[in-house]
């Protein structure tokens, strides 16, 4: 189980000023700039849980992950991963975790991939029998065989990422931290990685903490999501919940023969709703209505139009998780 | 109780965990041969330049001895200095700096391995490689030259063994010094400039350019209290037979003392630094 209690992390940097003049000024000033990257966050993650950790760029996702893996020390608060305080017993904690940083590799650049696994086998003290068994399993789910003898630097991004994931799983970690594991990958490789994560979770009951900007990852893998914004957790709950709460919006795009009729109808008065629940945008011959489905029914909107002009085409779009998260990033919860 | 014991075991350094890192450095060096040989040629060339400079000094001087060295001894000093420093001076500052700047230190920290031990294993790998290319060949070349052309041979097995022992101690001192120095990277991020300054200061203080006996008395006394003379000067002087037996034990003891001191400093520094690590580059 992972326990995070009231954790904050503050980074202190030398203050920089803009421009050449500023650079010179910076040489003589000793001012410090404090930035609160993570502000008093708390959550718990149970064994076997798969949690999506999402937030905009610079929201504090990676900082949290780095504190949980024991690389950086929190300014205040307590973190415990399976009873171990990661930043105090880094080595001990490292034995139980697997980490993938999508943006950098943990493989040895100049060595053949196969050798990386033999080194990891030594580092994590995996015995021969387990090693063979796990390599076979990883080979099956991640399809590593073809490039096992290639030097790491010659691997493509997709191959490297699969290898990285395999490398983080060799010692059968109780906790798996995945920091953007599908960044820059094509759809086929993304699918392979997602399936591998799901299979491993099902087989070994390990916890998975996943950060990503690709929300399909989250929809496919995670049951629970944490949304962090400006260092604070603004949502902790199931994916369904957030969809219920924010997924009431429907977008109806209608292609009309005569677009001018839309302006003549006072929808807000007819439906007796505010702009928040009913709004539209006109683009050429297409009008897009954005409605709250609890307040205004789709059929009512359409029937109001049908009698006035020819309707050529209708498309109705449900808000997907991407739109919801975008809405939250911009407007807050 | 039993559980606790098991946990503690993880911490113990297991040698075979780190050997692959040493090996991988040797493999890396072989992978980038071209640049390495160019580097070696440059270095060997600079040794010859130093030597010819000394020859010019000797030929313009009336004395056959300068600073307690005759011409054959200075030849030995210059070349053995190269042999020793080439394999002993393995710069970790740049490596640590790189790890900090590109954030790859994170990768080292998520594994149950000690960063310092890993660097040490890599240093050993590099040392072995540099001992073979070209230190050992320069060494043999020097002795062959001395034997065939100058008709001088004064080597003994014990002296070679003592030289190698002292060089190994130098290697450890240098590694620990570099590790401590490299910690600056965590504060200043870029260490390139510091590295340049450090290298030029070191080439003086270690006696790599001029034997320390050429310095004035007070400076020599000061050097005795610094770790630098233990890095290169001591093994080379042992090889030359210029350190008498009583002094010899003292010199080696001093090397060991420096290892202990620097080890303690490095542990203390690492503890401080680990707390303020921030990973650059996301």
């Amino acid at each position: 189980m992972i326990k995070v209690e009231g954790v904050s992390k503050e980074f202190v940097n030398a203050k920089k000023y803009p421009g050449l003049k500023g650079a010179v000024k910076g040489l003589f000033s000793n001012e410090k700039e404090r930035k609160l990257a993570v502000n008093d966050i708390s959550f718990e993650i149970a064994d076997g849980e798969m949690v999506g950790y999402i937030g905009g760029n610079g929201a504090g996702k990676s900082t949290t992950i780095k504190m949980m893996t024991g690389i950086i020390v929190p300014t205040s608060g307590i973190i415990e991963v399976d009873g171990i305080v990661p930043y105090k017993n880094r080595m001990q904690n490292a034995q139980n975790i697997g980490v993938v940083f999508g943006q950098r590799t943990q493989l040895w650049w100049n060595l053949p991939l196969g050798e990386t696994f033999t080194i990891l086998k030594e580092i994590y003290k995996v015995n021969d029998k387990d090693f063979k068994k796990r390599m076979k399993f990883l080979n099956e789910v991640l399809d590593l065989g073809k490039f096992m003898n290639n030097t790491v630097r010659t691997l493509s991004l997709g191959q490297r990422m699969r290898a990285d994931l395999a490398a983080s799983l060799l010692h059968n970690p109780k906790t798996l931290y995945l920091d953007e594991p599908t960044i820059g990958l094509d759809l086929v490789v993304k699918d392979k990685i997602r399936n591998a994560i799901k299979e491993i979770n099902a087989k070994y009951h390990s916890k998975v903490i996943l950060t990503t900007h690709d929300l399909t990852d989250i929809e496919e893998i995670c049951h629970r999501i944490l949304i962090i914004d400006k260092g604070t957790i603004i949502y902790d709950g199931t994916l369904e919940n957030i969809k219920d709460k924010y997924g009431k919006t429907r977008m109806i795009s209608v292609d009309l023969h005569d677009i001018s009729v839309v302006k003549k109808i006072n929808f807000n008065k007819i439906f007796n709703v505010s702009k928040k629940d009913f709004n539209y945008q006109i683009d050429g011959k297409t009008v897009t209505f954005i409605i709250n489905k609890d307040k205004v029914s789709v059929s009512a909107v359409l029937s109001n139009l049908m009698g006035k002009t020819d309707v050529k085409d209708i498309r109705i779009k449900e808000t997907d998780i991407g739109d919801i998260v975008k809405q939250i990033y911009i407007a807050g919860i | 109780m039993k559980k606790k014991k098991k946990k503690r075991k993880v911490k113990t350094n297991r040698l075979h965990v780190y050997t692959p890192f040493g090996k991988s450095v040797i493999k890396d060096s072989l992978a980038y041969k071209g640049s390495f040989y160019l580097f070696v040629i440059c270095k060997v060339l600079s040794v010859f330049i130093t030597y010819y400079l000394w020859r010019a000094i000797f030929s313009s001087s009336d004395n056959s001895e300068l600073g307690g060295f005759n011409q054959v001894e200075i030849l030995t000093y210059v070349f053995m200095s190269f042999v020793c420093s080439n394999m002993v001076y393995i710069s970790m500052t740049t490596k640590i700096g790189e790890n900090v700047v590109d954030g790859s230190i994170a990768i080292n920290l998520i594994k149950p391995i000690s960063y310092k031990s890993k660097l040490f294993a890599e240093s050993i790998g590099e040392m072995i490689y540099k001992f073979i290319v070209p230190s050992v060949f320069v060494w043999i070349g020097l002795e062959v030259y001395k034997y065939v052309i100058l008709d001088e041979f004064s080597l003994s097995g014990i002296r070679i063994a003592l030289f190698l022992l002292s060089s190994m101690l130098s290697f450890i001192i240098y590694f620990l010094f570099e590790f401590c120095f490299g910690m600056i990277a965590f504060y200043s991020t870029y260490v390139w400039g510091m590295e340049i300054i450090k290298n030029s200061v070191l080439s003086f203080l270690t006696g790599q350019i001029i034997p320390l006996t050429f310095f004035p008395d007070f400076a020599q006394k000061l050097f005795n209290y610094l770790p630098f003379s233990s890095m290169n000067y001591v093994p080379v002087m042992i090889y030359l037979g210029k350190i008498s037996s009583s002094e010899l034990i003292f010199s080696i003891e001093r090397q060991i003392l420096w290892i202990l001191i620097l080890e303690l400093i490095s542990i203390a520094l690492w503890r401080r630094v680990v707390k303020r690590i921030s990973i650059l580059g996301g």
Side-chain angles (χ1 to χ4, degrees):
Chain A
M1 193 172 87
I2 299 178
K3 247 198 286 185
V4 175
E5 264 177 48
V7 167
S8 299
K9 176 73 192 179
E10 190 183 55
F11 289 111
V12 182
N13 285 315
K15 194 167 180 183
K16 299 272 192 293
Y17 303 91
L20 181 64
K21 208 175 140 195
V24 175
K25 193 178 168 195
L27 283 177
F28 300 102
S29 95
N30 206 11
E31 266 179 275
K32 294 276 190 285
E33 216 170 21
R34 288 166 185 281
K35 194 184 162 262
L36 203 56
V38 169
N39 184 9
D40 191 23
I41 59 169
S42 304
F43 56 85
E44 278 184 13
I45 294 169
D47 289 346
E49 223 179 338
M50 297 210 268
V51 179
Y53 195 40
I54 55 181
N57 289 321
K61 296 186 304 284
S62 292
T63 308
T64 318
I65 296 268
K66 278 166 195 157
M67 286 192 284
M68 290 199 282
T69 52
I71 305 173
I72 57 177
V73 185
T75 313
S76 63
I78 305 162
I79 300 177
E80 259 183 41
V81 180
D82 295 319
I84 300 169
V85 179
Y87 45 89
K88 280 190 184 144
N89 296 309
R90 178 182 68 78
M91 301 253 275
Q92 201 184 331
N93 180 56
Q95 184 74 30
N96 302 328
I97 62 169
V99 186
V100 174
F101 290 122
Q103 307 179 48
R104 52 177 113 243
T105 179
Q106 55 182 313
L107 310 167
W108 285 276
W109 209 237
N110 294 316
L111 298 181
L113 182 59
E115 215 154 308
T116 300
F117 288 104
T118 9
I119 296 179
L120 291 171
K121 174 180 178 288
E122 292 293 323
I123 290 177
Y124 291 106
K125 295 192 291 188
V126 181
N127 64 42
D128 291 331
K129 207 180 118 216
D130 285 348
F131 181 71
K132 266 192 198 137
K133 204 176 75 194
R134 283 175 206 160
M135 279 316 285
K136 197 171 155 255
F137 171 70
L138 292 170
N139 227 328
E140 271 165 26
V141 285
L142 290 164
D143 195 14
L144 306 168
K146 261 178 261 160
F147 48 91
M148 210 52 174
N149 295 321
N150 296 11
T151 315
V152 172
R153 62 167 178 262
T154 65
L155 299 182
S156 72
L157 181 64
Q159 291 173 334
R160 206 210 76 200
M161 210 70 108
R162 277 183 278 162
D164 248 310
L165 185 62
S168 72
L169 291 168
L170 185 69
H171 55 296
N172 208 352
K174 285 187 230 155
T175 314
L176 189 58
Y177 299 98
L178 305 170
D179 195 354
E180 300 186 39
T182 57
I183 192 169
L185 301 181
D186 72 39
L187 293 169
V188 180
V189 180
K190 271 187 185 178
D191 235 31
K192 263 189 192 143
I193 294 221
R194 285 172 195 153
N195 287 334
I197 296 169
K198 277 192 276 187
E199 265 184 62
I200 281 141
N201 173 267
K203 197 170 172 190
Y204 298 114
H205 210 59
S206 40
K207 329 181 232 325
V208 178
I209 291 99
L210 169 78
T211 81
T212 183
H213 290 294
D214 182 343
L215 293 152
T216 330
D217 288 349
I218 302 275
E219 276 187 305
E220 289 212 5
I221 297 171
C222 307
H223 309 294
R224 176 181 162 199
I225 56 171
L226 292 169
I227 303 179
I228 183 168
D229 187 42
K230 297 188 190 85
T232 325
I233 289 187
I234 52 173
Y235 181 78
D236 178 357
T238 59
L239 199 59
E240 284 72 38
N241 245 334
I242 204 158
K243 271 188 170 171
D244 274 356
K245 194 169 172 190
Y246 291 90
K248 290 171 190 157
T249 312
R250 292 286 178 279
M251 283 160 71
I252 314 161
S253 295
V254 189
D255 293 352
L256 296 172
H257 185 71
D258 179 14
I259 202 84
S260 62
V261 290
V262 178
K263 282 182 185 157
K264 288 174 195 153
I265 310 169
N266 191 345
F267 288 100
N268 292 79
K269 203 174 172 191
I270 295 172
F271 300 130
N272 191 23
V273 287
S274 64
K275 287 240 175 215
K276 208 180 104 218
D277 294 324
F278 183 95
N279 212 340
Y280 63 81
Q281 289 163 350
I282 294 172
D283 180 22
K285 294 237 169 202
T286 309
V287 57
T288 304
F289 298 97
I290 302 149
I291 62 166
N292 178 342
K293 75 173 166 82
D294 287 354
K295 298 269 172 71
V296 181
S297 80
V298 176
S299 60
V301 176
L302 291 176
S303 65
N304 265 297
L305 279 173
M306 296 275 198
K308 311 265 174 8
T309 179
D310 260 3
V311 175
K312 287 194 209 150
D313 198 3
I314 304 166
R315 292 173 300 277
I316 302 174
K317 205 180 141 215
E318 206 181 326
T319 34
D320 60 15
I321 182 74
D323 294 325
I324 295 171
V325 171
K326 214 189 304 173
Q327 206 179 320
I328 294 171
Y329 287 172
I330 296 168
I333 209 144
Chain B
M1 198 62 210
K2 219 175 180 182
K3 209 178 169 191
K4 208 169 187 186
K5 230 178 190 176
K6 213 176 170 187
K7 273 181 186 169
R8 197 163 286 162
K9 225 178 164 186
V10 179
K11 271 192 176 175
T12 52
N13 291 353
R14 290 151 296 141
L15 198 66
H16 61 282
V17 168
Y18 297 99
T19 38
F21 294 110
K23 279 188 199 156
S24 81
V25 169
I26 300 178
K27 279 181 200 153
D28 283 4
S29 312
L30 290 170
Y32 301 107
K33 279 190 294 249
S35 76
F36 187 79
Y37 283 118
L38 271 177
F39 187 63
V40 166
I41 290 168
C42 278
K43 270 179 134 182
V44 173
L45 212 62
S46 74
V47 188
F48 274 94
I49 291 167
T50 319
Y51 172 60
Y52 279 103
L53 200 67
W54 278 109
R55 258 177 75 158
I57 295 169
F58 269 97
S59 64
S60 65
S61 159
D62 296 333
N63 301 331
S64 62
E65 261 194 22
L66 286 172
F69 285 83
N70 65 33
Q71 215 165 328
V72 180
E73 282 169 343
I74 207 82
L75 166 84
T76 314
Y77 186 91
V78 169
F79 280 90
M80 284 317 281
S81 232
F82 170 73
V83 169
C84 178
S85 61
N86 178 56
M87 60 183 192
V88 164
Y89 293 8
I90 289 150
S91 176
M92 282 294 129
T93 311
T94 330
K95 201 168 214 161
I96 297 170
E98 274 169 17
N99 284 169
V100 171
V101 168
D102 67 12
S104 55
I105 185 126
I107 297 299
N108 288 294
L109 295 177
I110 55 165
K111 301 233 160 71
I113 46 173
S114 137
Y115 183 54
K116 191 169 138 198
S117 306
K118 178 186 168 264
L119 286 179
F120 190 59
E122 286 173 346
S123 283
I124 291 177
E126 202 174 331
M127 179 194 65
I128 292 169
Y129 183 66
K130 281 178 148 185
F131 178 71
I132 297 164
V133 270
S135 272
V136 77
F137 295 104
V138 172
W139 186 1
I140 293 169
L142 171 75
E143 286 307 326
V144 168
Y145 175 79
K146 272 167 73 180
Y147 184 66
V148 176
I149 312 284
L150 306 175
D151 200 20
E152 277 212 27
F153 194 79
S154 56
L155 271 183
S156 71
I158 294 174
R159 210 186 287 165
I160 292 175
L162 279 171
F163 167 71
L164 288 176
L165 170 75
S166 182
S167 297
M168 285 312 98
L169 296 175
S170 298
F171 164 72
I172 300 171
I173 295 174
Y174 192 78
F175 168 77
L176 291 169
F177 175 77
E178 278 286 314
F179 183 77
C180 295
F181 194 83
M183 292 298 108
I184 294 175
F186 288 93
Y187 293 89
S188 74
T189 311
Y190 285 95
V191 285
W192 187 77
M194 304 261 196
E195 168 102 16
I196 300 286
I197 296 168
K198 182 207 70 190
N199 285 347
S200 33
V201 171
L202 274 190
S203 59
F204 256 100
L205 296 183
T206 57
Q208 202 189 340
I209 294 181
I210 307 164
L212 297 179
T213 48
F214 282 76
F215 285 91
D217 273 347
F218 76 92
Q220 283 191 46
K221 269 187 194 131
L222 179 71
F223 293 158
N224 279 337
Y225 292 100
L226 295 173
F228 309 111
S229 63
S230 290
M231 288 175 182
N232 175 52
Y233 184 69
V234 169
V236 176
M237 291 303 262
I238 288 175
Y239 187 80
L240 273 168
K242 281 198 175 284
I243 295 182
S244 61
S245 50
S246 61
E247 226 183 313
L248 195 134
I249 293 165
F250 177 65
S251 297
I252 288 185
E253 273 173 1
R254 200 166 55 195
Q255 284 190 308
I256 294 170
L257 184 70
W258 272 116
I259 290 176
L260 293 175
I261 294 171
L262 287 168
E263 170 71 13
L264 290 177
I265 296 175
S266 71
I267 290 171
L269 277 177
W270 179 248
R271 276 201 191 136
R272 276 185 72 98
V273 155
V274 142
K275 282 195 193 120
R276 52 157 292 143
I277 286 180
S278 54
I279 307 296
L280 299 165

